Amino acid sequence: MQKKFALAAGAMLLISSVQASEWGYEGQSGPEHWGDIAPECSLGKNQSPIDITRSVEADLSPLTVNYTGNLVSLTNNGHTLEAHVEGDNSFTINGNTFTLKQFHFHTPSENLIHGKQFPLEAHFVHADSKNNLAVIALMFDVGEANPQIASLISTLPAKGDTITFDQSFPVSAWLPRIGEDYYRFSGSLTTPPCSEGVRWFVLQNNKDLSQAQVDVLHKAMGDNNRPIQPLNARLVLDAD
């Protein structure tokens, strides 16, 4: 059965009016045509992703992350590899708690930092009690092989399939040290319907993966990155 999703940076769990089969990353269904099926993709003023070329230093609270659950399964939904989690996984900012719904990947990265595009970006998608969305974005650069990714890609699902892991993997192992090392800005979903009002937290500390791991993930997902969008009047806040 075909499901409808509101996709935050590639995938989301909230119901949307946009069919996943109506959009893609190339040709007549590519990003330049998303506005035909979801007007905010072309009319919105606070769209994601962006190139973080300038920022304003701000006295922002540290991100208090409390991931104690596990990654239990992985779905290839045709647009991304989406990891499903269970247990208590949340983060708190300014007294507001956001619960992790899933995380997924983009090859290459959607957001850029000072013009640099990374080979892989992970989006940890959260929602609070009022269904406000927040995304923690983590960049990966080529270096040493990543043990979490090694476990993830040992068996990859085919398009439309889900695999369940015999062994659970701690979600906390995926993130680097965060604290105040992040950029914050207001943005949108990076896929149709491109809804705005999403809180974005782009981490300044990266993790490594090997080129071979990049190649495996890229083969599974292809180029699934939306082009960068105009910053317009937004400020990017630097908590560092």
Side-chain angles (χ1 to χ4, degrees), residues 8 15 146 155 231-232 235 239:
I15 294 176
N146 185 292
T155 304
L231 185 62
N232 295 322
L235 289 178

Side-chain angles (χ1 to χ4, degrees), residues 152-165:
L152 188 77
I153 66 176
S154 58
T155 304
L156 287 177
K159 183 177 179 180
D161 290 343
T162 297
I163 61 169
T164 300
F165 297 108

Side-chain angles (χ1 to χ4, degrees), residues 9 46-49 186-190 194-198 200 226 234:
N46 295 314
Q47 291 287 293
S48 296
S186 178
S188 72
L189 309 179
T190 65
C194 305
S195 304
E196 297 183 348
V198 179
W200 279 86
R226 184 188 190 190
R234 285 178 286 177

